[in-house]
Amino acid sequence: MESVSAVPKAPGATAVLGHLPALLRAPLAFLRGLPAHGPLVEIRLGRKPVVVVCDPELTRSLLVQDRVFDKGGPLFDRLREAGGQGLATCPSGEHRRQRRLIQPAFHQARFPGYAGIMTERMDAILASWRDGQTLDLSVEIRKIAADVVIAAVFGTSLENGIHTRLATDFDTLLSGFTRHSLLPKPLRKVPTPGNVRYDQATKRVRETMTGLVAEHRERGATDETNLLAMLISARDPESDSPALSDEELVDQAVTMYSAGTETTAGSVGWALYLAAVHPEVLGRLTSEIDTVLGGRTAGWEDLPQLTYTRQVLSEALRMYPPGWFLTRQTMTDTHLGPYALAEGTTMAYSPYLISHLPDLYPDPERFDPDRWIQRGRQPQVPVTVFGGGARKCIGDEFSLIEGVLLLASLLSHWNVDLHPGSLTLPKLPQLTLNPGRMVATITARSPRRPYADQPEPARAAGPDM
């Protein structure tokens, strides 16, 4: 008979707050210390027990068994307040239907067209920067990522007022997200200035996206080069009625905007910072970019040659994965490895924790893009960064393509001189483990080659149905 072990409890919990003080004081160091107590470790957030998976194989098992370990827990409760039941947040019973409807928009044949949008938008924004200008690169990179996502989702650039409102409201949500996920519900309902701002931002994000979806539908857009038009035109195979309601379209728009903006912005920001503080990496990186691009903005045809650029991005994703702490909920009594878990158990896994295990990544605190050398194929990324199983992020390749193009294009046009001590990490990691302020002075590297001189991007073919 198979033996069953009790999940060990992490030491240091206080009677009322549990491990919250340690997690809030130094969250990444706290996570790195958990594997010493076992493959599964129980921590307490306040009075709520949470079982953290600290083993890579058990993490894969949790991700693959998505109907047993469904998306749930405090993190997804908060995500659903703004994102509703979108592809990233819906329960597994709804996920298959949504995935089938959305998957054609991420067919491989569409990526050249998306890359063309990325190149055009990046080129326009990078051309607006001024020689000698001082910028907060975290803000500027997020603006570029948001602009690309908006163009890909809605097929147009937003007017500045809407763009600014969305960006401001998402910043408010991100800055308050971790606190709202960890605090007990009664404290979240206290009308403090922070709670009020968070609730108002949640409401405005939904209202803004509702207006954009309604406007898109009213235009009767049939251009299937943008994601929202494809979703609007999707039909239910049994009834031939629209497959997604307006509410569901809003859920998907919020999901794609938030995921597409934060993941790319964080990975490119960290890649720039880490390359800047490792001169030998920066030298190799800029040498590859100069050889491949010759002073122009990167495009789809350049991706196979930008191998070291992708290695740098992959290593940045390993060291600082955007989704650093994620929760699940057990839907039935079950086992994970030798451990028995009751129905309703809140589980957690951490891509940050897994990507800093020395058995998987020797000397894990060392920034080493050469970890990702793959003979005869593109560099890969850490296994858990984009999830796994049926719930693996549908936009993972979209994000990687955008990240490589943006990192290469920015360094093709601009030297980046980071100000000493400019990188300011948030006191508490937000929903995504992205850098805080990153102040730098930029100088032009060479005369810009006109965008018109770049290779013509391949046109996206329709999906194979």
Side-chain angles (χ1 to χ4, degrees):
M1 183 175 179
E2 184 181 0
S3 62
V4 176
S5 303
V7 176
K9 294 178 170 59
T14 64
V16 177
L17 297 178
H19 294 96
L20 271 176
L23 184 61
L24 294 175
R25 183 171 56 249
L28 302 183
F30 176 77
L31 289 175
R32 290 196 303 271
L34 292 179
H37 306 293
L40 265 61
V41 181
E42 182 183 299
I43 65 173
R44 283 200 296 108
L45 304 181
R47 298 184 184 275
K48 184 176 184 60
V50 176
V51 175
V52 183
V53 187
C54 303
D55 175 85
E57 290 305 319
L58 294 183
T59 299
R60 288 188 185 94
S61 183
L62 176 141
L63 293 173
V64 168
Q65 299 179 72
D66 61 300
R67 293 184 184 274
V68 176
F69 302 101
D70 204 353
K71 291 199 171 182
L75 183 145
F76 283 98
D77 290 342
R78 302 288 78 71
L79 281 174
R80 286 166 181 151
E81 290 171 354
Q85 299 286 349
L87 188 65
T89 55
C90 67
S92 64
E94 173 62 17
H95 177 260
R96 267 64 171 178
R97 180 184 76 93
Q98 291 193 23
R99 184 92 180 197
R100 283 195 300 270
L101 292 170
I102 297 170
Q103 189 69 58
F106 291 92
H107 190 280
Q108 191 69 30
R110 295 198 179 272
F111 288 143
Y114 294 147
I117 293 171
M118 295 171 189
T119 300
E120 182 177 359
R121 300 310 308 155
M122 291 172 190
D123 189 77
I125 296 175
L126 292 173
S128 71
W129 293 3
R130 302 188 308 276
D131 192 26
Q133 186 177 8
T134 295
L135 300 169
D136 181 347
L137 286 177
S138 288
V139 172
E140 298 305 318
I141 291 169
R142 185 180 286 114
K143 284 181 182 177
I144 295 173
D147 190 87
V148 167
V149 169
I150 287 296
V153 173
F154 294 102
T156 183
S157 296
L158 286 184
E159 68 160 278
N160 285 337
I162 296 176
H163 219 319
T164 300
R165 184 166 72 243
L166 269 176
T168 300
D169 286 338
F170 268 102
D171 280 345
T172 300
L173 293 180
L174 289 169
S175 63
F177 184 85
T178 301
R179 179 171 51 85
H180 272 251
S181 295
L182 298 178
L183 284 177
K185 185 174 180 180
L187 293 181
R188 296 198 304 271
K189 296 301 181 183
V190 176
T192 63
N195 286 347
V196 170
R197 283 194 301 271
Y198 184 89
D199 291 341
Q200 290 176 341
T202 300
K203 182 179 179 182
R204 278 196 303 268
V205 162
R206 297 287 303 178
E207 290 174 346
T208 300
M209 286 300 186
T210 298
L212 291 172
V213 168
E215 178 185 327
H216 213 71
R217 193 188 282 282
E218 286 170 9
R219 286 206 309 266
T222 58
D223 177 11
E224 291 200 5
T225 60
N226 70 77
L227 292 166
L228 189 60
M230 285 183 248
L231 296 183
I232 288 174
S233 64
R235 313 299 291 181
D236 187 299
E238 295 182 1
S239 65
D240 199 39
S241 59
L244 294 171
S245 68
D246 283 358
E247 186 76 10
E248 289 174 319
L249 289 170
V250 172
D251 293 347
Q252 305 305 339
V254 173
T255 298
M256 288 186 282
Y257 179 92
S258 57
T261 299
E262 290 304 311
T263 300
T264 302
S267 61
V268 173
W270 281 120
L272 275 174
Y273 170 76
L274 291 165
V277 298
H278 293 83
E280 72 287 355
V281 172
L282 183 61
R284 285 180 63 184
L285 181 60
T286 53
S287 176
E288 175 181 89
I289 290 168
D290 290 346
T291 299
V292 175
L293 301 181
R296 58 179 171 78
T297 302
W300 170 257
E301 292 81 1
D302 302 309
L303 289 169
Q305 285 75 50
L306 293 170
T307 54
Y308 190 68
T309 306
R310 181 151 171 161
Q311 287 174 221
V312 171
L313 191 76
S314 296
E315 181 68 345
L317 280 164
R318 180 194 69 82
M319 293 195 72
Y320 298 104
W324 62 285
F325 188 76
L326 302 160
T327 57
R328 293 289 190 271
Q329 197 89 15
T330 60
M331 305 309 292
T332 184
D333 293 347
T334 189
H335 288 77
L336 191 59
Y339 302 99
L341 300 166
E343 179 181 352
T345 300
T346 298
M347 308 290 295
Y349 75 97
S350 170
Y352 175 87
L353 182 158
I354 298 299
S355 67
H356 285 75
L357 291 174
D359 289 345
L360 284 182
Y361 304 102
D363 195 5
E365 301 308 310
R366 179 168 57 92
F367 178 63
D368 180 14
D370 283 338
R371 295 180 200 272
W372 304 104
I373 293 176
Q374 301 283 329
R375 294 186 183 278
R377 58 184 298 193
Q378 285 284 351
Q380 302 303 297
V381 294
V383 172
T384 56
V385 166
F386 292 105
R391 303 302 295 258
K392 185 173 182 283
C393 176
I394 198 171
D396 56 348
E397 192 60 25
F398 183 104
S399 178
L400 289 169
I401 290 170
E402 183 183 359
V404 171
L405 294 181
L406 179 51
L407 179 60
S409 298
L410 195 156
L411 290 176
S412 176
H413 296 301
W414 300 100
N415 284 315
V416 174
D417 181 18
L418 284 177
H419 292 196
S422 67
L423 184 66
T424 306
L425 292 174
K427 292 181 180 179
L428 176 67
Q430 302 174 356
L431 172 61
T432 51
L433 187 57
N434 288 0
R437 283 173 53 81
M438 195 161 65
V439 180
T441 299
I442 58 168
T443 53
R445 297 198 63 219
S446 61
R448 283 181 57 84
R449 286 179 57 185
Y451 176 59
D453 288 354
Q454 300 190 76
E456 179 70 16
R459 297 301 174 190
D464 296 331
M465 301 300 286

